[in-house]
């Protein structure tokens, strides 16, 4: 089983109500995975950010993916991945990088609880990964 396949199953275990959307939009997960790998970011982290920001493009603003504005839709996952890597280098931690992604500051958030929420989703996705990999 590939990492991408494991991530899709992990998403379904984390967000079972998203099954219909994920089945018809598998390209979005592939796009997010590929962007994360290309930028050296853990794919489950970028999936967590995109899940919180836009429900992987299924939110009220489907043209917006991963919280990126003012960029063509097909470039947004790569921009978010690159941004998170830079912010991690600036802040020194993933929670700090997430706060900076959300607000521009390593220490405060524009949306209260944003970093904790993304970290919770990331942990959930990672927690399901061993189950998926071990099952095969």
């Amino acid at each position: 089983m590939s990492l991408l396949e494991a991530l899709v199953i992990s998403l379904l275990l984390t967000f079972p109500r998203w099954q219909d959307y994920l089945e018809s939009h598998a390209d979005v997960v592939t796009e997010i995975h590929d962007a994360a790998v290309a930028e050296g970011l853990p794919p489950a982290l970028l999936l967590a950010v995109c899940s919180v920001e836009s429900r992987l493009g299924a939110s009220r603003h489907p043209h917006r993916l991963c919280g990126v504005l003012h960029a063509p839709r097909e470039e947004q996952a790569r921009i978010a991945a690159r941004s998170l890597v830079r912010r991690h280098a600036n802040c020194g931690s993933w929670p700090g990088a997430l706060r900076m992604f959300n607000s521009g500051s390593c220490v405060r958030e524009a949306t209260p609880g944003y970093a904790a929420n993304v970290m919770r989703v990331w942990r959930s996705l990672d927690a399901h990964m061993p189950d998926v990999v071990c099952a095969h």
Side-chain angles (χ1 to χ4, degrees), residues 19-135:
Q19 182 173 353
D20 291 340
Y21 178 81
L22 289 172
E23 286 175 359
S24 62
H25 292 82
D27 59 318
V28 172
V29 178
T30 301
E31 182 181 332
I32 293 166
H33 166 271
D34 293 351
V37 169
E39 297 299 329
L41 187 70
L45 172 57
L46 188 57
L47 281 167
V49 168
C50 299
S51 297
V52 170
E53 288 283 349
S54 70
R55 292 190 330 222
L56 303 179
S59 70
R60 294 178 302 161
H61 306 286
H63 59 281
R64 185 183 337 168
L65 181 65
C66 307
V68 174
L69 302 172
H70 311 299
R73 166 67 183 69
E74 61 275 1
E75 296 175 19
Q76 293 178 17
R78 188 76 173 258
I79 291 168
R82 191 175 304 126
S83 176
L84 286 163
V85 168
R86 280 195 317 265
R87 283 159 170 65
H88 183 263
N90 290 340
C91 298
S93 70
W94 288 121
L98 292 167
R99 285 189 290 272
M100 185 176 239
F101 185 79
N102 179 246
S103 71
S105 167
C106 296
V107 295
R108 67 176 164 72
E109 298 173 326
T111 306
Y114 176 83
N117 193 25
V118 172
M119 293 297 292
R120 180 187 55 76
V121 172
W122 184 18
R123 282 191 301 273
S124 179
L125 291 170
D126 275 349
H128 287 111
M129 292 296 286
D131 298 338
V132 171
V133 174
C134 293

